[in-house]
Amino acid sequence: MRHQPRQKRQKCLIICLLLFSAFLFTGEVLGQDGGRSVRVGVFQLPPMVFMDDAGNADGFYIDLIKEVAARENWQLTFVPGTWAEGLQRGREGSIDLVTTIIPTADREQYLDFCQEEVMLIWGQVFARRSSGIQNVLDLEGATVAIMQDDLNGQNFITTIENFGVNCRILVAATHDEVFRLVEAGEALAGVAPNLFGFAHAHQYGLTQTPIIFHPNPTTFAGPAGLNQDLLAALDRYLKRWKANQGSIYYLTLDHWFNHPSERHRRMPGWLTPTLVGVVLISLLLLLWNRILNQRVRARTRQLDASEKTIRAIFDQSFLFIGLLNTKGILTEVNRTAVEFSGVQLEDVLGKPFWEGPWWNHDPALQEQVRQGIDQALAGQTHIGQATHLSKDGQTHNIEYTIKPVFNDDGQVVMLIPEGHDVTERERLTQNLQQAQRMEAIGTLAGGIAHDFNNILTAISGFNDLALEDAAGQPVIEDSLQEVSHATDRAKHLVQQILTFSRRKEVEKSVFAPALPLKEAVKLLRSSLPSTIAIQHEIHTEAYILADPTQLHQVIMNLGTNAFHAMEETGGTLHILLDEVNLTRQAPALGTVMPVGKYVRLEVLDNGCGMDPSLIGKIFEPYYTSKDSGKGTGLGLSVVHGIVKSSHGFLQVESEPGQGTAIRVFFPRVEEPRTQPTVSADDPRDIQGRERILFVDDEVALTGLADRFFTSLGYRITVFSDSAAAWKCFAEQPDSFDLLITDQTMPALTGVELARRVRGSREDIPIVICSGYNEGITPADCQELGICGVLPKPLLMRSLAAEVRKILGHQDAYLS
């Protein structure tokens, strides 16, 4: 019985030791009981944030917030859903924190954001390995999948709009669904954050493309005006952790982006209730010491792995990144930067940054960088532009920054230089500007052609009147005939200008290409220097179905392209037109030509030639191998478009130093049947006594019409003001038998005037004259009963013949 007190004392001692041990290992968990409740939105963006197969929240952001919660005594509740649902819950305030969010001006209307960035991510396009996508232009007409409410997807849409690329956008609920759509072939490509794509693209048989855009920082956010203490606490820990390379931030970063398959190491589980029976304090101390040693070893391993992780992220960035000490000496540089210049790490580390291979081709750039380092050491970010020479000697345009890094005392402890190759972006920008300039030139050319048509009509009309007055005076008649010939040539020139400006609709017709070829050769001969000899052979008068003016444009573009190839050395431009009869299929650019009869146009030069591997590229828009200032990169692409629209084919042969041969094949068609035309040779056939209202804002044309139609016996009233013409007609609508009006006029257009006239009198015939049919549709002609739309420049005799045809009853007016 006397041993019982001793046994009781031993039991009490064991119980106390066990309670002390439990306090050491579980105190942190117990400390959370009764803490603040915090609701956190979770969506599927592994490894940043996601719900695992067991329904537990996990990921880089989740580990960080769990660590803060343990220290701040928060009780976390994870609310799963899609990204769009999480964003809406943050807006409504039904959750307290949103993770992995990019701050934007729009989102700041309903969310508050942490000041500290957690991680930088950027959008990237992913596609199947066989897609062949190399740049944003390859996505023209393609279907691209994006995630709903994903800023990366919105940035992608803005990017393609800036480049004028048209895509069909397919919206998915998650990034996994985006990749599934691409894998299933429902979309050609998909947009996702780069880190998500790097981790998961291979699961769907996808790979990253070179199309990347809009690097953005991600952080935490909460409903506007609520829970700002939560964001302040997160900012406090993030700032402290990011300044310490051994902090939980870098350990977690290492865990998810270097060893994503491993979990955090946990406290060994041998300190369990099996410690019942441990009675000696010395044994507990020994065990505690072993735990501390294990933590130290684990932390050491994590730090080593963290360094490898950071190095991997550092090296895989598409940016040129380095680290400088406060003397401007390069202490670290990523692999992207050294591989770009073709040097080794030992060639640049430990040396002044401004003496590196990126700047040594230009002393002025070296001085610019030296001054930028001084600016960064003073606490300001230096932003500059420069050129870098790649290892193959090509010049690249670079945007770069030199940023200071501060310690807790606000002192600059290091500098981070970053560079971004913007050569391709600037090239695309220049192409866009070139296209805009071409559009402006086309608009200007259309306006000039319109005015020139009026001038030509006046010249032609008065010249015809002068020819009648000069009858019997051979010298004067010969001179006036030369004016007529010159006017005809000017008319063809106007047609070319209208086609270039896209004011004239493409009108395909059956014609023999021999005549446009002769005209184009004359124009080439007058525009090319004497160092270029031109030879042309025409061996066929066969017919094709195309637009004659566009064929003229094809010949001019091919001839100009050949000239550029011979510009430095001179040479011979040989143009051949003949027929071929294919009895079997023949290869053509991008396809094969079927059996049949063709008219072949061949343009050959003995210039510099080109590598056969480039032949497939020369017909791409904006592609050019010429020096800056020579060519737009559009000429051959226009040729390709015209030939394709005419159901033709192209062949190209070229070798460096051996010249180039481009052959165009148009399907041959049968000769058209001729249509009888109204004769205007006999002056009696175009005379009349009807009353004509003639309206044109060009005073010279109203004077010409007055004189010409009066000489034919008509009673004509002319106006150069369409509003005044309408007032006159409205006062006496039965005083006229025919209205002839110009289309493009300041007050009322021809169509507007015709509509008013028809509203006043339905039976009056109307003829509209225009340099191009802009604003005149077939529906207008039918609605307004327009009898004819005549193109300018006008031949007055042809106009008179058309008037006579419309008014009819010729015999009643013959003398």
Side-chain angles (χ1 to χ4, degrees):
M1 295 295 294
R2 61 183 180 182
H3 295 292
Q4 289 182 354
R6 181 178 180 181
Q7 292 175 350
K8 289 181 179 181
R9 286 194 299 270
Q10 290 176 343
K11 290 180 180 179
C12 289
L13 179 60
I14 292 173
I15 292 172
C16 289
L17 290 174
L18 292 174
L19 291 175
F20 176 74
S21 176
F23 172 80
L24 290 177
F25 290 102
T26 63
E28 186 171 286
V29 175
L30 292 173
Q32 292 186 5
D33 291 340
R36 179 175 179 175
S37 176
V38 178
R39 299 162 299 177
V40 183
V42 180
F43 65 103
Q44 295 300 109
L45 185 63
M48 310 291 284
V49 57
F50 62 98
M51 299 295 293
D52 64 16
D53 294 338
N56 299 316
D58 212 347
F60 175 59
Y61 268 76
I62 299 302
D63 283 355
L64 291 180
I65 199 170
K66 283 182 177 179
E67 186 67 23
V68 175
R71 302 184 184 208
E72 292 294 319
N73 194 22
W74 296 345
Q75 293 294 316
L76 299 180
T77 301
F78 296 105
V79 182
T82 65
W83 164 246
E85 291 170 346
L87 195 62
Q88 181 61 27
R89 288 166 179 161
R91 183 198 297 263
E92 297 169 349
S94 59
I95 59 174
D96 302 305
L97 289 177
V98 182
T99 66
T100 325
I101 187 168
I102 299 172
T104 66
D106 178 64
R107 292 171 178 173
E108 287 176 352
Q109 300 298 318
Y110 55 88
L111 293 175
D112 293 329
F113 292 84
C114 279
Q115 299 299 313
E116 288 292 324
E117 301 175 3
V118 178
M119 175 167 285
L120 185 71
I121 64 174
W122 53 84
Q124 189 159 11
V125 175
F126 295 82
R128 294 185 296 276
R129 293 182 175 87
S130 60
S131 69
I133 295 174
Q134 293 299 315
N135 57 63
V136 72
L137 298 180
D138 293 336
L139 298 176
E140 177 64 32
T143 298
V144 179
I146 66 173
M147 189 181 81
Q148 182 180 3
D149 292 335
D150 182 17
L151 186 60
N152 295 293
Q154 298 305 314
N155 289 338
F156 170 79
I157 294 175
T158 301
T159 299
I160 62 174
E161 289 176 348
N162 290 338
F163 285 104
V165 174
N166 295 313
C167 291
R168 175 175 175 263
I169 301 301
L170 198 59
V171 179
T174 67
H175 288 111
D176 280 304
E177 186 178 344
V178 167
F179 280 5
R180 282 195 293 270
L181 290 172
V182 180
E183 179 187 36
E186 296 183 39
L188 178 64
V191 177
N194 61 312
L195 293 176
F196 177 86
F198 293 162
H200 298 279
H202 67 279
Q203 299 174 9
Y204 300 89
L206 308 185
T207 186
Q208 63 194 48
T209 73
I211 305 174
I212 54 178
F213 46 90
H214 289 283
N216 285 302
T218 64
T219 187
F220 293 92
L226 303 175
N227 306 322
Q228 294 182 349
D229 57 323
L230 299 179
L231 302 178
L234 289 168
D235 276 331
R236 185 170 62 254
Y237 284 101
L238 287 171
K239 183 175 182 180
R240 184 190 309 160
W241 289 343
K242 286 160 65 176
N244 181 5
Q245 292 289 333
S247 68
I248 188 66
Y249 173 89
Y250 291 100
L251 296 178
T252 307
L253 186 70
D254 168 61
H255 170 74
W256 286 107
F257 297 99
N258 193 41
H259 301 292
S261 63
E262 296 179 4
R263 306 307 305 152
H264 284 302
R265 297 188 177 276
R266 305 293 184 182
M267 187 70 69
W270 44 266
L271 289 178
T272 63
T274 58
L275 288 176
V276 177
V278 179
V279 293
L280 299 176
I281 295 178
S282 59
L283 180 58
L284 286 175
L285 294 175
L286 177 61
L287 295 176
W288 181 249
N289 184 60
R290 290 180 60 187
I291 294 171
L292 292 178
N293 288 336
Q294 287 182 351
R295 286 184 172 180
V296 169
R297 288 194 296 269
R299 179 62 59 86
T300 301
R301 290 193 299 270
Q302 290 173 336
L303 289 176
D304 291 340
S306 177
E307 182 178 356
K308 294 178 181 178
T309 300
I310 294 173
R311 168 56 68 177
I313 297 174
F314 187 67
D315 280 337
Q316 68 90 31
S317 173
F318 68 94
L319 299 174
F320 305 148
I321 308 176
L323 298 177
L324 310 179
N325 63 20
T326 53
K327 295 182 180 180
I329 304 300
L330 188 64
T331 58
E332 289 287 351
V333 64
N334 72 343
R335 190 168 300 280
T336 303
V338 295
E339 289 181 349
F340 175 86
S341 294
V343 296
Q344 301 297 322
L345 283 173
E346 54 269 20
D347 297 331
V348 294
L349 293 181
K351 298 179 180 178
F353 184 51
W354 57 86
E355 295 180 359
W358 310 282
W359 329 92
N360 58 15
H361 63 288
D362 188 345
L365 276 180
Q366 290 180 314
E367 181 59 28
Q368 174 182 312
V369 174
R370 187 198 298 267
Q371 293 177 3
I373 291 174
D374 292 339
Q375 179 182 351
L377 289 173
Q380 299 178 357
T381 297
H382 170 73
I383 302 174
Q385 294 183 335
T387 57
H388 286 179
L389 293 181
S390 62
K391 57 186 176 183
D392 56 1
Q394 298 295 317
T395 300
H396 291 246
N397 297 325
I398 305 296
E399 290 180 353
Y400 73 94
T401 60
I402 304 177
K403 302 176 183 178
V405 177
F406 303 93
N407 61 13
D408 292 339
D409 297 327
Q411 298 175 330
V412 177
V413 293
M414 69 174 69
L415 305 177
I416 301 179
E418 292 181 342
H420 182 204
D421 190 343
V422 296
T423 307
E424 180 66 12
R425 186 185 72 189
E426 291 183 350
R427 185 186 71 82
L428 294 174
T429 301
Q430 290 172 357
N431 290 343
L432 177 61
Q433 293 172 347
Q434 178 66 27
Q436 292 171 339
R437 286 195 294 269
M438 293 293 291
E439 182 178 356
I441 291 172
T443 301
L444 176 63
I448 293 173
H450 175 261
D451 291 339
F452 197 35
N453 271 329
N454 288 334
I455 296 171
L456 285 177
T457 300
I459 293 173
S460 176
F462 282 113
N463 187 69
D464 288 344
L465 293 174
L467 275 170
E468 293 180 1
D469 295 338
Q473 303 179 61
V475 176
I476 298 177
E477 284 184 324
D478 290 343
S479 297
L480 294 175
Q481 288 293 348
E482 289 299 321
V483 174
S484 295
H485 296 325
T487 304
D488 288 338
R489 290 196 298 271
K491 291 176 185 176
H492 292 301
L493 180 59
V494 171
Q495 296 305 310
Q496 295 171 34
I497 293 174
L498 288 175
T499 297
F500 172 79
S501 67
R502 302 181 187 273
R503 298 281 184 153
K504 182 174 176 64
E505 294 295 329
V506 174
E507 297 178 358
K508 292 183 181 180
S509 60
V510 177
F511 68 97
L515 182 58
L517 173 59
K518 293 175 183 178
E519 294 175 351
V521 168
K522 290 179 182 179
L523 189 57
L524 281 171
R525 196 181 303 278
S526 62
S527 60
L528 298 185
S530 58
T531 55
I532 307 297
I534 302 178
Q535 298 176 355
H536 73 283
E537 300 178 39
I538 298 176
H539 298 302
T540 180
E541 294 292 336
Y543 289 80
I544 65 174
L545 176 62
D547 182 272
T549 307
Q550 283 194 336
L551 177 65
H552 188 282
Q553 189 175 3
V554 167
I555 300 169
M556 293 299 298
N557 283 353
L558 292 179
T560 303
N561 187 70
F563 156 65
H564 285 302
M566 300 183 290
E567 186 174 10
E568 295 184 1
T569 60
T572 300
L573 171 61
H574 189 90
I575 303 177
L576 171 67
L577 185 70
D578 63 0
E579 289 184 59
V580 293
N581 184 13
L582 295 182
T583 57
R584 59 181 179 179
Q585 291 183 339
L589 185 70
T591 183
V592 293
M593 287 188 290
V595 172
K597 295 180 180 181
Y598 295 89
V599 175
R600 177 175 61 186
L601 170 67
E602 187 172 32
V603 178
L604 303 96
D605 67 73
N606 55 358
C608 59
M610 62 181 148
D611 191 289
S613 63
L614 299 178
I615 289 177
K617 296 182 179 181
I618 62 175
F619 294 98
E620 295 177 1
Y622 301 111
Y623 177 84
T624 178
S625 59
K626 301 166 188 173
D627 296 336
S628 178
K630 295 182 180 179
T632 64
L634 292 172
L636 291 182
S637 67
V638 170
V639 169
H640 183 265
I642 293 173
V643 173
K644 185 177 180 181
S645 68
S646 301
H647 305 289
F649 301 91
L650 284 162
Q651 286 183 345
V652 183
E653 292 182 9
S654 186
E655 291 288 344
Q658 302 298 316
T660 300
I662 298 181
R663 301 181 184 90
V664 183
F665 296 81
F666 293 101
R668 176 181 170 177
V669 298
E670 294 300 321
E671 180 178 356
R673 296 179 179 178
T674 58
Q675 298 292 331
T677 59
V678 177
S679 172
D681 292 337
D682 188 345
R684 294 177 301 171
D685 292 340
I686 57 176
Q687 293 176 351
R689 296 193 186 97
E690 287 89 350
R691 299 159 298 178
I692 299 175
L693 178 59
F694 186 93
V695 188
D696 197 299
D697 63 334
E698 185 69 35
V699 176
L701 294 187
T702 58
L704 172 63
D706 190 6
R707 179 176 170 184
F708 185 82
F709 280 99
T710 300
S711 69
L712 296 177
Y714 291 95
R715 290 167 288 172
I716 184 168
T717 303
V718 298
F719 284 95
S720 59
D721 184 337
S722 56
W726 161 243
K727 182 178 179 182
C728 174
F729 183 87
E731 292 174 352
Q732 43 185 345
D734 295 326
S735 299
F736 301 100
D737 300 306
L738 175 70
L739 169 63
I740 302 175
T741 177
D742 185 25
Q743 163 61 9
T744 306
M745 295 182 291
L748 298 173
T749 66
V751 169
E752 291 170 346
L753 177 59
R755 183 172 284 109
R756 294 191 181 188
V757 166
R758 277 288 184 179
S760 177
R761 179 180 161 193
E762 295 182 353
D763 62 334
I764 185 169
I766 301 173
V767 175
I768 292 184
C769 306
S770 177
Y772 48 88
N773 295 341
E774 183 173 308
I776 307 176
T777 66
D780 291 331
C781 293
Q782 183 176 4
E783 175 193 354
L784 302 175
I786 295 174
C787 300
V789 179
L790 302 182
K792 288 186 177 181
L794 294 169
L795 290 176
M796 297 307 293
R797 285 186 174 274
S798 299
L799 176 59
E802 186 68 20
V803 168
R804 188 68 266 143
K805 177 182 175 182
I806 292 172
L807 293 175
H809 309 296
Q810 280 184 302
D811 295 340
Y813 299 98
L814 294 177
S815 59

